[in-house]
Amino acid sequence: MLSINELRASIEGKEILKGINLEVKPGEVHAIMGPNGSGKSTLASVLAGREEYEVTAGSVAFNGVDLLELAAEERAAEGIFLAFQYPVEIPGVTTINFLKTAVNEIRKYKGENPLDAAQFLKMVREKAKLVRMNDSLLKRALNEGFSGGEKKRNEIFQMAVLEPQLAILDETDSGLDIDALRIVAEGVNSLRSPERSAIVVTHYQRLLDYIVPDYVHVLYKGRIVKSGTKELAMELEEKGYDWIKEEVEALG
Amino acid sequence: MSTDTIDLKTRLVADFHAREATINGEASTAFHQKKRAAIAVFDQLGFPTRKNEEWKYSNVKDLVSASYHFNAPSTLTAEDLASLNIPDQNANILYFVNGHYDADLSQIISTSDKIVISSLQQAYQKDPEMVNSYFSAVEGDSDAFTALNTAFAADGVFIHVPKGQVVEHPVILRFISDARQEHVGSQPRNIIAVGENAQVKFAEAFRTVGEQRSFTNVVTEIHMGQHAHVEYYKVQNESDQAYHVGTTEVIMLDNSHFYAATVTLNGKFVRNNLHIRINGEHCDAHMYGLYFPDGTQHVDNHTVADHLKPNSESNELYKGILRDKSKGVFNGKIFVRPDAQKTNAFQSCKNIVLSPEATMNTKPQLEIWADDVKCTHGTTTGQIDEEALFYMRSRGISRQEAMSLLMFAFCADVVSQIKIDSIREYLEGVISDKLTNK
Ligand SMILES: Nc1ncnc2c1ncn2[C@@H]1O[C@H](COP(=O)(O)OP(=O)(O)OP(=O)(O)O)[C@@H](O)[C@H]1O
Ligand SMILES: [Mg+2]
């Protein structure tokens, strides 16, 4: 589904991603962990199409399409979704209106007719229930004045509505209380299917108890320096990153 | 002395004196004396140049470089207006074509016990003393354009809302410049007198037919009694060849409430002066503005909230979206006179500049002589928020659509203030077209 090959990217002349290789097959969940500043959000942003980053080498194929050739909105329409580490506040645009526009823009891209108001509302209600998103939040300006946890929950709600093929969750767990964490995880799990995949960026093993990954990768200084299964996450939780850093330094 | 500026001025002054020679007995009336004084002021001031601080960023050279046929006759019919897509309105509607009241196009549905609506000319013929008591009652004639309007004031509307009347149907004044044949000019003068405890909503809408130049120099005086409630909307959607200078003078007395929204959708050169004298306690005055210049259009809003008495509030929000090589000017004055303790005054001007060649000049100007007051002001001029754009695009919304959504939202807090539904809906339509077409 997603195939990243020797991907390098820089911002303001500074190379952040230094040759990433990653293969995500349909139905798989990959966790990406790693110390602060190692490039996790950069990878997520490059995949979602943030234009400030310059891709200097490598390739990304998504279902056989050259992802790097597509604009951010086209990537979304092709089925990529990024849950932001820091969701943006958009004054004056209600969540509901925003999502309706998004859903219908994607339908237009696929050559489908727009949903009418009733169909859309019905769908939105179901999804809101799934992530226990309060109705009143939907009518408010997007993320404006939302608490940290509400913003994160809103990301998962949007994901549930858009039903992406590949969801990239960038620290969606940080800032969530225990209940919210479970709800968010349930939201993600309810989307799991043999066709859908996810890349979950997190610092904590805790989330991975709920969203059990097929693979765990450690990103460090712009490279994936270690990959394993969910046991690797437990090991990291226990031992921290020093032993990995040492391994990397030893290799030069 | 050979510039065109002098030409238009000289011609106007000469016109005034030529007309004066034909009016015989009328020339001795108090009404006419005000006009004579005004032409002398205009003659002395001349059209402003950029050396005049109030006109520093707005150059009228182009405006005065042409000659205009003032009060030109027009054959405009209802069919000719069809192309303007004017909404149907359940309202009192008065049409002025090239400055002349057009009774055929107009409709008055409110009864005369609720509101007296007539053209200024009719009102003056009926009761010269009353009209004169309101006419040019505020000392605003230090401005050349206002003086010029006073000197030539011939027609416009006179509205009187008697004490205690709550007028349900809005009053919509439609000023049409018929510029199909030649450059035309008009100088409407509107007087709105709202009695104690009376309430009225009214709007001024400016449109153009035809491709020639139009020059509108309009003055509206709004006199409010105690506890009066007035909503005043000005909508400018004129042609790319339209020059507009407009001044609105407002006087408020105790416990009165005034809401103004000035929306400039189109026009070549626009200067709006909104001057509110808050001459009462426990008043609130609200000023909203919105402008969308493109091409080489120029939109200038000058506002004054003049607090003369204690315990009142003024609140101002102006917003603009500027494209291409357009220019915007905002000058917001807040005066708090020595007596006006416990004044609350808020002012904000926010702009989105979409092109590197567009410019916005903002100047908040606070002059405060009282010590116990709360004043805040702020201006911002920036680009569209790229983070917000990326967020929206990452959800599948095209850049174009995301821009329109963001800009529409930007405008919404001004548009939502307009409480005449038909006008608000009209604006929403025009604005959304404007935002999606480019
Ligand atoms: N716009 C930018 N300009 C300069 N440097 C940047 C910019 N954006 C990111 N970086 C740098 O790139 C590096 C990687 O940042 P990134 O946000 O991808 O890290 P991360 O792994 O997501 O960290 P965290 O765990 O703290 O979220 C950091 O050193 C960061 O300072
Ligand atoms: Mg990060």
Side-chain angles (χ1 to χ4, degrees):
Chain A
M1 167 181 288
L2 180 77
S3 168
I4 305 177
N5 199 352
E6 285 301 320
L7 181 69
R8 288 174 178 266
S10 40
I11 187 154
E12 287 165 14
K14 183 174 151 203
E15 187 167 66
I16 312 286
L17 301 183
K18 300 173 178 168
I20 303 267
N21 291 292
L22 183 66
E23 194 69 38
V24 178
K25 298 211 171 62
E28 291 178 350
V29 171
H30 291 240
I32 296 185
M33 305 181 80
N36 293 131
S38 56
K40 302 180 298 296
S41 293
T42 302
L43 176 62
S45 295
V46 168
L47 293 178
R50 196 187 273 276
E51 283 152 2
E52 293 96 296
Y53 295 96
E54 192 194 352
V55 174
T56 51
S59 63
V60 181
F62 181 63
N63 292 330
V65 177
D66 180 358
L67 200 64
L68 301 175
E69 284 299 308
L70 301 182
E73 55 267 39
E74 293 169 323
R75 298 182 195 196
E78 291 286 342
I80 288 188
F81 179 92
L82 169 63
F84 282 53
Q85 182 173 2
Y86 304 107
V88 182
E89 299 198 4
I90 310 215
V93 180
T94 60
T95 302
I96 193 93
N97 197 16
F98 168 73
L99 267 178
K100 189 166 179 215
T101 310
V103 165
N104 284 332
E105 288 264 294
I106 292 175
R107 292 180 72 91
K108 190 165 82 188
Y109 179 90
K110 293 182 176 159
E112 297 166 1
N113 288 327
L115 289 185
D116 65 35
Q119 291 168 317
F120 175 74
L121 274 179
K122 182 164 177 283
M123 189 258 285
V124 159
R125 289 236 170 82
E126 280 165 17
K127 305 293 182 174
K129 218 187 252 152
L130 189 69
V131 296
R132 290 177 233 177
M133 180 88 172
N134 200 316
D135 242 21
S136 69
L137 284 182
L138 300 181
K139 290 180 196 138
R140 271 168 56 182
L142 185 56
N143 291 330
E144 196 181 36
F146 283 29
S147 76
E150 287 168 344
K151 283 181 184 165
K152 294 298 176 78
R153 199 182 293 204
N154 193 6
E155 294 293 283
I156 297 308
F157 166 63
Q158 292 176 35
M159 180 188 80
V161 169
L162 298 175
E163 299 188 328
Q165 270 200 51
L166 174 67
I168 304 165
L169 312 185
D170 191 357
E171 294 196 27
T172 303
D173 52 336
S174 62
L176 291 182
D177 65 40
I178 308 287
D179 292 337
L181 184 72
R182 204 172 41 238
I183 291 162
V184 161
E186 278 167 15
V188 175
N189 286 333
S190 73
L191 271 185
R192 282 184 91 156
S193 78
E195 302 85 51
R196 292 186 210 286
S197 313
I199 295 175
V200 180
V201 175
T202 182
H203 286 295
Y204 306 107
Q205 152 65 23
R206 202 180 49 176
L207 177 71
L208 304 180
D209 287 340
Y210 295 106
I211 307 172
V212 181
D214 298 295
Y215 299 95
V216 175
H217 310 277
V218 178
L219 191 63
Y220 178 56
K221 289 192 172 168
R223 279 196 194 87
I224 290 178
V225 295
K226 200 162 194 71
S227 296
T229 52
K230 61 181 195 291
E231 287 73 24
L232 174 58
M234 289 181 211
E235 200 175 348
L236 292 170
E237 180 93 354
E238 215 172 284
K239 305 204 292 197
Y241 289 112
D242 282 354
W243 63 283
I244 289 191
K245 291 179 185 170
E246 278 160 25
E247 269 184 32
V248 173
E249 309 305 333
L251 285 169
Chain B
M1 295 292 280
S2 66
T3 67
D4 290 335
T5 315
I6 308 293
D7 280 353
L8 182 60
K9 179 190 150 186
T10 311
R11 204 171 318 128
L12 285 162
V13 173
D15 275 1
F16 181 88
H17 292 298
R19 189 166 316 172
E20 192 175 40
T22 68
I23 56 173
N24 301 326
E26 175 62 17
S28 62
T29 60
F31 192 69
H32 187 75
Q33 292 307 316
K34 284 184 185 169
K35 294 178 160 218
R36 181 182 286 168
I39 199 72
V41 170
F42 172 70
D43 196 9
Q44 191 215 330
L45 294 173
F47 285 108
T49 67
R50 294 179 65 180
K51 285 191 210 116
N52 180 332
E53 192 59 30
E54 292 300 302
W55 292 85
K56 195 168 168 183
Y57 299 107
S58 295
N59 194 340
V60 300
K61 207 172 139 215
D62 195 28
L63 188 168
V64 300
S65 69
S67 62
Y68 304 88
H69 187 171
F70 282 90
N71 308 319
S74 163
T75 56
L76 202 74
T77 61
E79 290 82 73
D80 297 330
L81 293 174
S83 66
L84 296 181
N85 291 319
I86 291 170
D88 277 339
Q89 290 171 313
N90 188 21
N92 300 292
I93 302 173
L94 283 84
Y95 273 88
F96 294 85
V97 180
N98 291 347
H100 299 289
Y101 176 58
D102 188 323
D104 291 342
L105 293 172
S106 302
Q107 65 175 35
I108 293 176
I109 58 177
S110 293
T111 52
S112 62
D113 55 327
K114 290 249 168 228
I115 182 169
V116 181
I117 305 173
S118 61
S119 77
L120 184 64
Q121 224 164 37
Q122 291 166 348
Y124 185 72
Q125 273 152 19
K126 223 178 182 173
D127 192 344
E129 240 164 82
M130 195 209 0
V131 170
N132 191 48
S133 72
Y134 291 111
F135 177 60
S136 198
V138 290
E139 16 62 88
D141 284 359
S142 60
D143 172 71
F145 284 97
T146 304
L148 186 64
N149 177 289
T150 300
F152 284 93
D155 219 346
V157 76
F158 182 87
I159 293 175
H160 180 234
V161 186
K163 191 171 161 178
Q165 293 297 341
V166 175
V167 185
E168 178 199 351
H169 296 294
V171 181
I172 313 226
L173 312 176
R174 297 196 164 282
F175 298 94
I176 314 281
S177 291
D178 178 1
R180 291 176 298 181
Q181 309 293 338
E182 55 186 332
H183 298 341
V184 294
S186 61
Q187 306 204 59
R189 179 69 164 229
N190 305 311
I191 294 174
I192 321 288
V194 184
E196 231 176 275
N197 273 307
Q199 298 187 16
V200 66
K201 293 185 181 78
F202 76 103
E204 296 175 347
F206 296 87
R207 304 295 296 270
T208 327
V209 182
E211 303 297 318
Q212 303 297 313
R213 278 192 186 202
S214 64
F215 168 35
T216 304
N217 178 30
V218 56
V219 173
T220 299
E221 295 178 75
I222 303 171
H223 302 265
M224 297 175 65
Q226 292 186 5
H227 295 276
H229 179 116
V230 172
E231 291 170 35
Y232 165 70
Y233 306 114
K234 179 170 181 175
V235 181
Q236 298 162 298
N237 195 4
E238 297 178 273
S239 78
D240 291 338
Q241 292 303 322
Y243 295 77
H244 182 117
V245 178
T247 295
T248 302
E249 297 277 354
V250 185
I251 299 187
M252 301 175 70
L253 297 183
D254 286 349
N255 299 296
S256 58
H257 312 281
F258 179 71
Y259 296 80
T262 305
V263 181
T264 307
L265 297 166
N266 206 62
K268 166 95 182 142
F269 176 93
V270 173
R271 164 65 174 257
N272 295 312
N273 302 309
L274 174 59
H275 189 171
I276 305 178
R277 287 173 177 77
I278 306 166
N279 194 18
E281 294 195 45
H282 308 291
C283 294
D284 53 271
H286 304 263
M287 293 172 264
Y288 296 93
L290 192 59
Y291 38 95
F292 304 88
D294 60 14
T296 57
Q297 296 179 352
H298 182 105
V299 179
D300 175 350
N301 280 289
H302 268 59
T303 65
V304 182
D306 189 355
H307 289 267
L308 297 142
K309 296 273 168 73
N311 297 311
S312 285
E313 180 178 319
S314 65
N315 172 36
E316 175 166 31
L317 175 64
Y318 271 67
K319 288 189 148 189
I321 297 176
L322 295 95
R323 295 172 213 269
D324 306 332
K325 296 182 174 176
S326 64
K327 288 200 166 63
V329 180
F330 172 80
N331 177 295
K333 296 186 180 69
I334 298 175
F335 298 146
V336 183
R337 308 284 175 184
D339 281 349
Q341 298 293 358
K342 307 250 184 252
T343 288
N344 276 334
F346 307 99
Q347 181 189 89
S348 168
C349 177
K350 296 181 178 169
N351 301 283
I352 297 177
V353 176
L354 292 175
S355 138
E357 290 171 294
T359 55
M360 181 71 214
N361 280 299
T362 52
K363 185 179 176 194
Q365 204 176 321
L366 277 60
E367 296 182 26
I368 299 169
W369 293 277
D371 46 28
D372 185 13
V373 301
K374 214 157 78 194
C375 283
T376 59
H377 68 96
T379 64
T380 58
T381 297
Q383 282 83 42
I384 208 106
D385 179 356
E386 284 293 330
E387 278 299 304
L389 267 189
F390 176 65
Y391 187 72
M392 298 173 91
R393 293 174 65 201
S394 78
R395 301 298 184 251
I397 302 174
S398 68
R399 189 181 177 87
Q400 179 66 56
E401 184 67 25
M403 293 266 283
S404 330
L405 268 178
L406 288 175
M407 289 191 286
F408 200 80
F410 176 80
C411 301
D413 41 4
V414 171
V415 175
S416 65
Q417 296 299 328
I418 295 176
K419 301 288 169 6
I420 301 177
D421 295 344
S422 58
I423 294 183
R424 192 185 54 255
E425 284 155 15
Y426 165 80
L427 287 176
E428 283 166 349
V430 175
I431 291 169
S432 120
D433 286 351
K434 260 183 123 57
L435 298 181
T436 44
N437 286 347
K438 294 210 184 172

